[in-house]
Amino acid sequence: MWDRKQGGTTVAKINRIRTFAMALIFIGIFIMYIAIFVFSDSPILMSIAMIIGFLSVISSSLVYLWIGMKSTQTLQVICPNCEKQTKILGRVDACMHCDEPLTLDPKLEGKELDARYNRKNFQQ
């Protein structure tokens, strides 16, 4: 069976990307608060910080759009561990509910979970 953890917990790629997009929103809002309270004396610095924060929020929207489009193209399977429906993005992924490593490639069954298996140029 696959090793369930490699350098930390395994999390489904879709959830990891969504978490990154949510972090971009919070970072952008934090930058904008800093702009208002710290740079209120300097309109130029405040404007620059507000634009950077705004771009962070907009980029998170683009990441959400991108992962939403990718999510519609993924393969849905039933997890053998928790028996819930989950999505596989790439050759290897983890269950969204129980972090069980999943693959549809018979060559990878029984091997340790490695994100490099999803790269096109990775040679076994």
Side-chain angles (χ1 to χ4, degrees):
M1 199 70 206
W2 286 19
D3 183 17
R4 295 182 77 130
K5 295 182 180 180
Q6 179 179 346
T9 59
T10 58
V11 180
K13 284 187 264 328
I14 292 174
N15 287 346
R16 201 172 351 156
I17 295 169
R18 287 180 181 155
T19 302
F20 171 72
M22 185 172 45
L24 280 176
I25 290 174
F26 288 123
I27 289 168
I29 291 173
F30 180 73
I31 290 171
M32 288 189 273
Y33 274 122
I34 294 289
I36 290 172
F37 293 117
V38 175
F39 300 127
S40 61
D41 296 336
S42 174
I44 294 173
L45 288 177
M46 185 174 77
S47 298
I48 291 171
M50 291 294 275
I51 289 171
I52 291 171
F54 177 72
L55 290 176
S56 177
V57 172
I58 293 300
S59 64
S60 74
S61 299
L62 295 175
V63 170
Y64 271 122
L65 177 70
W66 173 72
I67 197 59
M69 298 303 284
K70 290 299 270 183
S71 180
T72 61
Q73 299 171 359
T74 59
L75 183 65
Q76 294 185 2
V77 296
I78 303 295
C79 175
N81 187 33
C82 66
E83 297 182 358
K84 294 181 181 177
Q85 191 171 20
T86 187
K87 296 178 180 182
I88 295 180
L89 186 61
R91 291 176 70 194
V92 295
D93 204 350
C95 176
M96 290 184 192
H97 308 286
C98 67
D99 289 341
E100 177 74 21
L102 302 171
T103 184
L104 295 176
D105 191 350
K107 297 175 189 174
L108 298 177
E109 286 187 21
K111 292 188 178 181
E112 188 175 324
L113 178 64
D114 193 350
R116 293 182 297 165
Y117 292 137
N118 289 324
R119 296 182 189 153
K120 292 181 181 178
N121 60 0
F122 181 73
Q123 298 292 327
Q124 294 182 2

